[in-house]
Amino acid sequence: ALPGVPKLRLHNPVFAGENGDEFMPRYEDAAAGRLDPFVLVIEGSIPHETNKSDGYWAGFGIDRNTGQPLTTCSWIDRLAPRAWAVGAAGTCATHGGIHAMGRNPTDCMGLPDYLGWSWRSTGDIPIVCVPGCPVQPDNMTQTLLYLLRQASGTAPMIPLDDALRPTFLFGPTVHEGCDRGGFYEQADFAAAHGSTKCIVKLGCWGPVVICNVPKRGWMNGIGGCPNVGGLCIGCTMPGFPDKFMCFMDEPPGARMSTSAVLMYGRTVRALRAFTKASLEKEPPWRNPAGAMSAESPAATQSDVKPDTTV
């Protein structure tokens, strides 16, 4: 259906009509080398399966020989070395996310920490990370579309930053694309939630978080956390969530930056108010000598004919 893109079959446990043993053969074929080429996309954080004496943290399918669950880590070990490309969807898969918080018993991690940040696929492609909690839908589908075009030879190597994020999606900060950015410049900060002004003093991390959601929106171009009053808590960043807590507290850097911009911003706001007031008035040449005043003949009722249609 998409020009320039090879024929695609999508195997996803949520979208599939099959379930259980009927669903697993696709993954078994891929692990055995009978499904080539394929792109492997991981969702969810990767648990540390060897940090305990028994049991498992996460499973996917059943080992037919033992009747025991197969761990998700074992599937990554079997599938990743054969994949043409490997992607991580969402902050849990890219950097560990909520499950990788300090002192979590699972010792969860992101896919680059599990496979290695310098790991490359059979297509000689690094791990492609699309963070977000949750991942922004258009960001994920655009990344997959790019990889498919690359597979067909119609696109160069996907450009990634140091955090393995596509550079065409992750570059500007939340603040640079925020609808409230003008209020920050004028030092016009919200004192309570529900305000339309800049919410950085209420706990928004937008000035330092790399994310395109304010520009792209969440669904069909609508939304974008701070645009609709939601604080940016840094969910696309490798340091999330530990380095952004406690949520809803003013970020340390915001105290300094807002203090620095306060005097300048208030001055600019006052000057703009003065200029705005002057621009609210028409130029004097549009009404020379009060030509349309009540005393002017042009404004007398005698000049208006009874059958005039307005």
Side-chain angles (χ1 to χ4, degrees), residues 198-251:
C198 177
I199 53 179
V200 67
K201 294 183 75 65
L202 300 180
C204 182
W205 284 82
V208 294
V209 170
I210 297 175
C211 180
N212 66 349
V213 163
K215 280 290 189 182
R216 172 155 259 181
W218 271 110
M219 297 182 70
N220 297 325
I222 304 299
C225 307
N227 290 356
V228 294
L231 302 174
C232 172
I233 58 175
C235 75
T236 58
M237 303 293 280
F240 175 82
D242 301 75
K243 292 186 176 182
F244 296 90
M245 297 172 68
C246 294
F247 300 141
M248 303 184 75
D249 284 353
E250 181 181 3

Side-chain angles (χ1 to χ4, degrees), residues 39-106:
V39 175
L40 174 66
V41 179
I42 301 295
E43 293 182 81
S45 52
I46 316 301
H48 192 328
E49 290 290 359
T50 61
N51 70 349
K52 57 199 178 320
S53 58
D54 59 5
Y56 67 98
W57 294 119
F60 184 64
I62 300 295
D63 187 328
R64 296 175 183 174
N65 296 322
T66 65
Q68 295 297 309
L70 291 164
T71 65
T72 52
C73 289
S74 69
W75 280 109
I76 295 173
D77 294 340
R78 296 166 63 194
L79 294 172
R82 294 185 179 275
W84 178 82
V86 173
T91 300
C92 286
T94 59
H95 310 305
I98 297 292
H99 312 106
M101 291 176 64
R103 298 182 297 278
N104 190 296
T106 64

Side-chain angles (χ1 to χ4, degrees), residues 94-148:
T94 59
H95 310 305
I98 297 292
H99 312 106
M101 291 176 64
R103 298 182 297 278
N104 190 296
T106 64
D107 289 333
C108 274
M109 67 196 84
L111 194 59
D113 288 319
Y114 183 78
L115 292 177
W117 284 84
S118 60
W119 185 93
R120 299 180 84 89
S121 66
T122 61
D124 198 28
I125 303 170
I127 300 168
V128 180
C129 293
V130 189
C133 190
V135 63
Q136 203 280 347
D138 292 333
N139 282 351
M140 194 66 229
T141 53
Q142 186 175 350
T143 300
L144 290 174
L145 180 61
Y146 190 105
L147 288 172
L148 291 172

Side-chain angles (χ1 to χ4, degrees), residues 186-187 261-273:
Q186 297 180 167
V261 80
L262 206 56
M263 181 177 295
Y264 162 82
R266 286 174 176 172
T267 303
V268 168
R269 207 187 325 163
L271 291 173
R272 286 176 176 171

